[in-house]
Structure formats: C-alpha cells, structure tokens
C-alpha cells in the first residue's frame, strides 16, 4: 500500500479498494449530499408517531454518560472541569448536552456532525449542527471525509478547518457509506399506521356528531301538495328540535303519520383497529431494539425485561457508544493538546444497569454462600 503525503509531518495511506477516479467525472460521483429526501420523511415520522420519538429519546438516555481517565492528575482535573462547563450552543452547557444532541442526529439521520470551536489557541465550545445542511466527499486517499457547507451567500464551499470538525456514521454500508438511519424501512409501515389513525379519527368524529335521516312515508292516494307541505313542516320542526337540543334545552319532536328516523351510518360498525395497529407497532418497535413495555406498550400484563432482552439491549447501547467514542476521544485529546498538557486520555463509560439490582444481589449472595460452604467442607472451589 503506497503512502501519500497529506500535510507537513503527517502521512495517510491511500486505499486500493476505493478508487474515486473510475470514470472521467469521478469527483462528481464521490460528492454526496447528506440531506437527501428521506431525511424530511424521518423527521415527519418522529412528529407523527410519538412511540418512535420516545424510542429515540430512550436510546439517547440509556446510552448513558461517561468519565475520563488521564495519565496526569493535572490533565484529569483540567479535562473534567472543561467537560462540565463547555458551552455547546442552543443554551446548553456540558459535554452531556453535546452527546445527547449528537446521538439524536446519529439515530435519526444515520450521521451526525459537530465542531470544536477554537479561539486564541484554546477550545471555547463544542457544538453540534444540522447534518442535512452539509455535503460530503471522500478525500483523495479514500479514507477520510471532506465536508462542505453553505457560506453566508448560500454557496456551497469546502469548510476550511476540517481538523476541527466531528463526523460520525451509524451502520455504514457500501451503498450508503455515510450511515443509515434507524428509521430506514419504516416509512411504508408508518404510512399504513397513520392511515388507520386518520380513519379512526374521522369515524369517531362522525359517530360523535350524529347525522339523522328523517323519512315521512306516504300513501298512493295522498294529495301531492299536502304531502309536500307536510314534509316541509316536519323539516322545520326537526330543525327546531335539533337547534334547541344543541343549546342545552331538551325538546321532543312530534310528528303525525308514518315517520321513520335513523342515524346515518349507524348500521355500519367501526372496524376494529387493535390487531393491525399492534402488528405494525411490533414491526416498528422491533427496529428500535427496545422492549415494548419501555415505550408504554403493555401488551402483556406480566411483561418484564428478561435476561436475554437485557443482553440484546446492552449490546445495542454498546454499539452506539462505539460509534461516538472516537469523537469524544478527539475532543479530549484536542483540548489537552491546546492546553499544553499530557493528551493521553481514555473514555470510561458508565455501567449499563438494566437488570433487577435485588435479583443480582441475591445471586451474588448465593454464590458467596456456596463458596463458603465448599471451603468449610474442604472441597475445591468451583470452576468458573
């Protein structure tokens, strides 16, 4: 693999499997807008289906926080203070605020972008931005990503300080190298679900605001003029009765002759939407990786998180952590380097606790008691 010189004192390997110049317009082929049409669909899905919006919030919060570990005590104190007080824009302070917004964008769009704001040789802020306003291009070595954004006049230009930008992708694929949203595959089912909800709303609006059919049956020997006059009189009296009932005064309707009154559409039952709605929600919730009861969907009266579900959810959360950990490490190392401190820093994630603490404690107690009894009996310790 050949080496390509990128900057003074730095080298980057040129990838042999990702060649951008495969045809005369290879530069245009590698230019990818990060805000494509589906991003608007994903935003509308979150707004229209509260369960999915809650799922994103749950995943962001369950990912948890982190602490740092440094080789130098001085570096540790300075870095911890910086992470607690760093401005993140939009009236947010602290690296946890940045991480929440960054993860939200990563899950919704499959990619997230941020920036380290440096002034006078010191890091002043860490901000996240709307990734849909940017465009990306593979660098000459086919390993790095170059970001483009609009200037003050709205023209698309290459952002000047690429080394201060933060960019992450979720589950990148060969066809989608810049990440895949967690909502991919949901628009079709979401459209059906919204149709059901809309129809239920229309049906209940009709059922709650009843329309009546008043039919006055006549005989063949009746005079047509008198029949017409009697119909007008019944219509007036019916309208007066309905108007007074609407104003809170109960008034009976009295008519002479064979008069039939029916509720329009009263014979047609409203379709039961429980089964199709549940089937669709099962598909949507399965895509998020969260147990249904965490989103308020109590489909079983005794539903609780099993050990297998907790393990699967824990693996999903660790996958999210691995996606953003390089960005957090870059922020810490850049801050320490600008401060002239030892920039060796590690990210230590908080423990993910999804199991019943009482059950875990009881299990640990049982194991300790078993080990004690084996020791008192002179038996060898049980192999782990």
């Amino acid at each position: 693999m050949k080496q390509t010189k990128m900057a003074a004192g730095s080298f980057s390997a040129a990838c042999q499997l990702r060649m951008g110049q495969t045809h005369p317009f290879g530069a245009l082929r590698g230019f990818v807008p990060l805000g494509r049409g589906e991003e608007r669909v994903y935003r509308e899905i979150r707004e229209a289906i509260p369960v999915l919006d809650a799922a994103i919030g749950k995943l962001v919060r369950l990912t948890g926080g982190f602490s740092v570990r440094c080789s130098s005590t001085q570096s540790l104190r300075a870095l911890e203070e910086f992470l607690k007080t760093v401005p993140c824009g939009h009236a947010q302070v602290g690296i946890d605020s940045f991480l929440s917004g960054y993860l939200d964008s990563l899950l919704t769009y499959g990619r997230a972008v941020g920036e380290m704001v440096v002034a006078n040789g010191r890091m002043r802020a860490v901000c996240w931005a709307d990734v849909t306003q940017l465009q990306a291009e593979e660098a000459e070595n086919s390993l790095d990503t170059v970001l483009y954004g609009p200037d003050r006049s709205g023209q698309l230009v290459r952002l000047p300080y690429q080394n201060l930008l933060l960019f992450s992708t979720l589950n990148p694929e060969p066809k989608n190298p810049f990440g895949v949203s967690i909502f991919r595959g949901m628009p079709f089912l979401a459209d059906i679900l919204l149709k059901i909800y809309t129809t239920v709303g229309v049906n209940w609006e009709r059922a709650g605001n009843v329309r009546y059919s008043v039919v006055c049956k006549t005989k063949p020997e009746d005079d047509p003029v008198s029949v017409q006059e009697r119909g007008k009189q019944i219509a007036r009296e019916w309208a007066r009765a309905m108007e007074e009932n609407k104003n809170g005064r109960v008034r009976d309707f009295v008519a002479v002759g064979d008069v039939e009154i029916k509720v329009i559409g009263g014979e047609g039952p409203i379709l039961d939407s429980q089964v199709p709605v549940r089937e669709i929600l099962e598909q949507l919730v399965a895509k998020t990786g969260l147990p249904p009861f965490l989103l308020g969907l109590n489909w079983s009266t005794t539903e609780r998180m099993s050990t297998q579900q907790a393990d699967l959810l824990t693996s999903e959360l660790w996958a999210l952590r691995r996606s953003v950990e390089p960005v957090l490490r870059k922020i810490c190392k850049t801050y320490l380097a600008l401060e002239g401190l030892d920039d060796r820093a590690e990210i230590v994630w908080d423990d993910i606790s999804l199991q019943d603490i009482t059950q875990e404690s009881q299990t640990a107690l049982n194991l300790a008691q078993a080990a004690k009894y084996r020791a008192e009996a002179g038996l060898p310790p049980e192999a782990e």
Side-chain angles (χ1 to χ4, degrees):
M1 185 173 287
K2 60 182 180 179
Q3 301 291 325
T4 304
K5 189 173 182 180
M6 300 299 296
S10 64
F11 294 85
S12 180
C15 182
Q16 302 178 76
L17 300 179
R18 299 180 182 177
M19 301 301 294
Q21 302 297 332
T22 54
H23 59 84
F25 302 101
L28 296 178
R29 185 177 183 182
F31 200 69
V32 179
L34 298 180
R36 293 170 291 184
E38 65 266 22
E39 272 67 23
R40 180 178 177 183
V41 177
Y42 297 153
R43 288 197 301 268
E44 292 187 356
I45 287 177
R46 286 192 61 174
E47 294 176 2
I49 305 178
V51 170
L52 298 180
D53 185 54
I56 296 296
K58 289 283 194 305
L59 288 173
V60 170
R61 286 188 289 273
L62 287 173
T63 302
F66 68 95
S67 59
V68 290
R69 182 186 300 143
C70 300
S71 302
S72 169
T73 304
Q74 183 182 4
S75 299
L76 179 61
R77 287 198 299 263
L79 183 57
E80 287 179 341
E81 182 64 22
F82 168 77
L83 295 178
K84 290 180 182 178
T85 60
V86 58
C88 299
H90 306 296
Q92 301 293 310
V93 176
I95 198 65
D96 289 337
S97 300
F98 166 80
L99 182 59
S100 297
Y102 199 81
L103 278 172
D104 188 282
S105 176
L106 187 66
L107 292 168
T108 303
Y109 304 118
R111 58 194 71 95
V113 65
E115 180 183 6
M116 297 178 290
V117 181
V118 176
N120 299 325
R122 300 189 65 184
M123 189 180 299
R124 304 296 182 180
V126 180
C127 304
W128 74 91
D130 184 3
V131 72
T132 62
Q133 302 300 318
L134 304 178
Q135 297 194 17
E137 182 184 20
E138 286 188 350
E140 294 179 359
N141 59 4
S142 299
L143 295 176
D144 300 325
T145 301
V146 180
L147 296 179
Y148 292 77
D151 58 7
R152 296 183 182 276
S153 62
Q155 298 295 325
L156 194 66
V157 297
R158 174 172 174 157
L159 299 176
Y161 304 105
Q162 296 286 325
N163 59 327
L164 297 179
L165 298 179
L166 308 169
F167 184 68
S168 300
T169 59
L170 181 67
N171 301 326
E173 300 173 346
K175 188 176 180 181
N176 301 283
F178 296 112
V180 176
S181 170
I182 196 176
F183 292 136
R184 187 179 67 168
M186 290 188 183
F188 172 71
L189 293 175
D191 181 48
I192 298 176
L193 184 64
L194 293 178
K195 287 180 180 178
I196 295 175
Y197 285 157
T198 302
T199 304
V200 170
V202 172
N203 288 338
W204 278 102
E205 183 178 359
R206 291 174 177 173
N209 192 4
V210 181
R211 296 292 186 270
Y212 296 94
S213 171
V214 182
V215 179
C216 180
K217 298 181 180 180
T218 61
K219 297 178 181 180
E221 60 271 15
D222 292 341
D223 182 24
V225 177
S226 62
V227 169
Q228 185 176 8
E229 183 63 28
R230 193 188 340 165
K232 291 181 180 180
Q233 183 178 3
I234 291 176
R236 286 195 302 269
E237 293 299 323
W238 179 259
R240 185 184 304 173
M242 291 295 101
E243 186 65 27
E244 292 191 6
N245 290 338
K246 186 185 298 183
N247 295 332
R249 296 190 299 271
V250 179
R251 183 178 185 274
D252 296 331
F253 171 71
V254 180
V256 178
D258 191 359
V259 178
E260 182 182 8
I261 301 176
K262 291 183 178 181
V263 176
I264 299 177
E267 294 81 4
I270 298 178
L271 296 177
D272 184 11
S273 62
Q274 184 175 0
V275 174
V277 166
R278 174 171 173 174
E279 290 180 353
I280 295 175
L281 285 178
E282 285 176 348
Q283 298 289 328
L284 298 179
V285 172
K287 192 68 164 47
T288 66
L290 292 171
F293 74 92
L294 288 182
L295 300 174
L297 302 174
N298 296 317
W299 289 327
S300 175
T301 56
T302 59
E303 189 170 5
R304 57 177 296 178
M305 185 180 295
S306 64
T307 304
Q308 291 77 12
Q309 285 178 316
D311 292 341
L312 291 175
L313 180 55
T314 301
S315 65
E316 293 285 343
L317 298 178
W318 273 109
L320 287 177
R321 289 179 169 184
R322 288 193 296 270
S323 299
V324 299
E325 184 171 335
V327 168
L328 300 176
R329 192 183 302 115
K330 181 178 181 180
I331 294 173
C332 296
K333 293 176 71 69
T334 303
Y335 169 77
L336 293 174
L338 292 175
E339 295 293 326
L341 301 173
D342 188 349
D343 64 350
R344 290 176 295 177
E346 296 181 4
I347 304 299
V348 181
W349 291 96
D350 298 340
D351 292 335
I352 300 176
S353 178
L354 299 176
Q355 289 296 319
D356 189 353
I357 298 178
T358 303
Q359 183 178 358
E360 291 183 351
S361 302
Q362 185 64 40
T363 302
L365 177 61
N366 294 339
L367 292 176
Q369 290 176 344
K372 177 183 176 182
Y373 295 150
R374 293 181 69 87
E376 291 177 351
L379 298 176
E382 194 174 31
E384 295 183 0

